[in-house]
Amino acid sequence: MQLHSPTLLVACATVLVLASVVSASIGLKQGRRGVHWWLIANLLLAAALVVQATTDPDGIAAPIVAILALQWPIITLAGIRRFYARGGSRAYEWSDRGAFAFMVFAVGVSFVDPMGLATHAQIHAMASFSLLLYAASALARLEDYATSSTLQLLRAGLVVTALLQAVWLALGATYLSSEFPINDAALGATVGTTAIALLMTQLSPIMNFERKIAHLLASQRKLRNLVDVDALTRLPNRRHFHELAERAIEAARDAATLIVFDVDQLKRINEVLGHATGDEALRQIGTALRETLRRRDVAGRLGGDEFAVVLPRTRMADSAVVVSRIIARLDDRQVAPRIARVSLNVGSVQFKPNETVGDALRRADAELVRSRDAARNGRATPLSSEDVDAALLDSRSTVSPTPQSAMMSLIPVGDVSAEAMR
């Protein structure tokens, strides 16, 4: 029984057009970039199927069929690049055009000057096989490929389709040559490409859904960050600090140390140099903590000028070294070093067995009060007008407020991040 290829081609074209229109309507309503590229690629492929079914396979329309069919992997790949434009790619788009131009040239030469080793239909099939494998390789170079199951499935479909086309070409050149018409090589190429194009119509809505989920997760992370992170110092706030601290000391509670400190000279800086300089001092404290602490340590801003640090698996004697490192790093970041230096009052306690973070904070606060009273015995003398003017000039050259765009993506990094504790 012979296969009636024109009927098969027209049926494939009809199904492809209907599936493409339905699939593209979903993406276009959502305003997704790249969807119209997939639609154009599928419609051109459907046109190739119709032309191949209604014309002489060896006639003048054969090169047109080849070009309309070979465009599908490249135009679809261009749409995918635009859909995932934010992620970038390690393969340049000009290489897509170069691969397509080379294959079209090879097919065109086979029609103008036929080769003795292969017919123009077989050249068409080999070009289709090569472009499918190229598109599969380009997909793997997209930055979003590792996190997108849809791209991984599409790449697998491209590879399988290319292999099936190669098998069809090999069998057509041997056992099937007497059973099917002479254009079986081109038939296998176009039908195989149509199969992967139909798969793309099903994957397109999934890609839109995947993108929407990614946006929702990103929005949740931003909201979570606004709830958990102090915008000024980029440290966990009081509530989130309690959560991270409890998780950090859970394995060995009595082997952890809690350090509480406040800024002794903050009020003086605010009165003399203004609240903008005081905010910059708090910001520099947050930076000093992130640069000094280990990844497993947890730092947070409890409120106002009060901060806390939990050091898992650290004894009281070793915590003094950590405090000295924080103070040394802060000295490098003084906002008004000549007239209103930022100094810290520190209170440290060792966690007791089964003691909560809240109970340890109360004990550390008591130690902090004693430290503060001792430090304020050496209170500085009043400032002269010349000192104030010099301090203002010094602070203006030092303060560098954080841009608003950076404040919208404040995520604790390294030692104070929630992700590091998971």
Side-chain angles (χ1 to χ4, degrees):
M1 177 180 178
Q2 288 191 348
L3 177 67
H4 193 253
S5 56
T7 303
L8 175 63
L9 292 171
V10 171
C12 289
T14 303
V15 174
L16 180 59
V17 170
L18 294 176
S20 300
V21 171
V22 173
S23 176
S25 63
I26 299 175
L28 292 175
K29 287 181 180 179
Q30 297 178 353
R32 300 300 187 189
R33 294 175 296 180
V35 176
H36 61 282
W37 288 77
W38 307 331
L39 179 61
I40 293 173
N42 287 356
L43 293 180
L44 291 177
L45 179 59
L49 294 171
V50 174
V51 173
Q52 186 175 355
T54 57
T55 59
D56 182 7
D58 293 323
I60 193 173
I64 299 176
V65 172
I67 295 175
L68 291 177
L70 291 177
Q71 56 77 31
W72 187 88
I74 302 303
I75 294 184
T76 301
L77 181 60
I80 293 176
R81 287 182 183 277
R82 283 155 181 78
F83 189 86
Y84 294 100
R86 293 183 179 180
S89 172
R90 290 174 293 170
Y92 297 103
E93 193 168 358
W94 61 262
S95 63
D96 303 348
R97 296 188 289 267
F100 176 68
F102 177 79
M103 294 304 170
V104 169
F105 174 78
V107 172
V109 169
S110 70
F111 281 98
V112 175
D113 185 15
M115 303 178 184
L117 298 178
T119 65
H120 57 77
Q122 291 172 336
I123 298 296
H124 173 195
M126 288 186 284
S128 177
F129 164 83
S130 301
L131 287 179
L132 289 177
L133 288 183
Y134 171 83
S137 174
L139 284 181
R141 293 176 176 270
L142 295 175
E143 291 185 5
D144 294 271
Y145 175 78
T147 58
S148 174
S149 58
T150 308
L151 287 179
Q152 296 171 6
L153 180 59
L154 178 59
R155 180 173 181 266
L158 289 169
V159 173
V160 170
T161 302
L163 294 178
L164 290 178
Q165 287 185 0
V167 171
W168 177 274
L169 179 62
L171 293 177
T174 55
Y175 302 105
L176 301 180
S177 58
S178 60
E179 188 70 16
F180 297 114
I182 193 172
N183 65 330
D184 274 346
L187 176 67
T190 51
V191 172
T193 305
T194 303
I196 190 63
L198 287 173
L199 176 63
M200 185 63 194
T201 62
Q202 306 303 311
L203 294 180
S204 176
I206 299 177
M207 293 171 68
N208 291 325
F209 177 76
E210 198 175 59
R211 173 60 61 84
K212 184 177 293 186
I213 293 298
H215 286 171
L216 289 176
L217 292 177
S219 299
Q220 288 180 351
R221 286 194 295 269
K222 289 181 180 179
L223 291 175
R224 182 73 179 179
N225 183 63
L226 292 174
V227 172
D228 291 342
V229 179
D230 174 62
L232 180 63
T233 61
R234 297 170 59 187
L235 296 175
N237 56 26
R238 188 183 191 96
R239 181 192 58 79
H240 194 44
F241 170 77
H242 277 257
E243 295 176 354
L244 297 178
E246 288 288 354
R247 196 181 309 159
I249 65 176
E250 186 176 5
R253 187 173 297 268
D254 57 347
T257 299
L258 174 65
I259 302 173
V260 176
F261 62 88
D262 64 9
V263 184
D264 189 57
Q265 296 290 340
L266 182 62
K267 183 178 180 181
R268 187 182 184 189
I269 293 176
N270 287 334
E271 292 175 349
V272 175
L273 304 178
H275 287 276
T277 306
D279 289 344
E280 179 64 19
L282 295 176
R283 190 180 295 115
Q284 295 301 337
I285 292 174
T287 302
L289 289 174
R290 288 194 304 276
E291 294 177 350
T292 305
L293 300 180
R294 303 166 297 183
R295 180 174 295 273
R296 67 185 183 186
D297 300 334
V298 179
R301 183 185 180 190
L302 301 183
D305 63 345
E306 189 173 3
F307 297 81
V309 177
V310 168
L311 306 175
R313 302 183 184 279
T314 304
R315 295 294 178 181
M316 280 284 293
D318 299 324
S319 67
V321 178
V322 178
V323 172
S324 64
R325 289 175 180 172
I326 295 174
I327 294 175
R329 183 56 59 91
L330 184 60
D331 284 340
D332 296 334
R333 296 181 170 276
Q334 293 285 343
V335 294
R338 290 188 297 174
I339 199 62
R341 295 185 61 84
V342 175
S343 59
L344 303 181
N345 302 313
V346 182
S348 303
V349 295
Q350 186 86 32
F351 275 91
K352 298 178 180 179
N354 301 322
E355 186 180 29
T356 65
V357 174
D359 294 337
L361 280 173
R362 282 187 284 272
R363 292 197 297 119
D365 282 335
E367 294 293 331
L368 174 64
V369 171
R370 284 191 287 271
S371 173
R372 180 191 303 155
D373 293 341
R376 287 181 177 177
N377 290 333
R379 189 183 302 271
T381 57
L383 305 176
S384 64
S385 59
E386 292 80 4
D387 291 336
V388 172
D389 293 338
L392 286 171
L393 180 62
D394 181 72
S395 64
R396 288 169 184 167
S397 64
T398 306
V399 176
S400 56
T402 303
Q404 184 66 24
S405 59
M407 300 296 287
M408 294 302 295
S409 59
L410 296 179
I411 300 177
V413 294
D415 42 23
V416 297
S417 70
E419 295 296 330
M421 303 305 304
R422 295 176 181 172

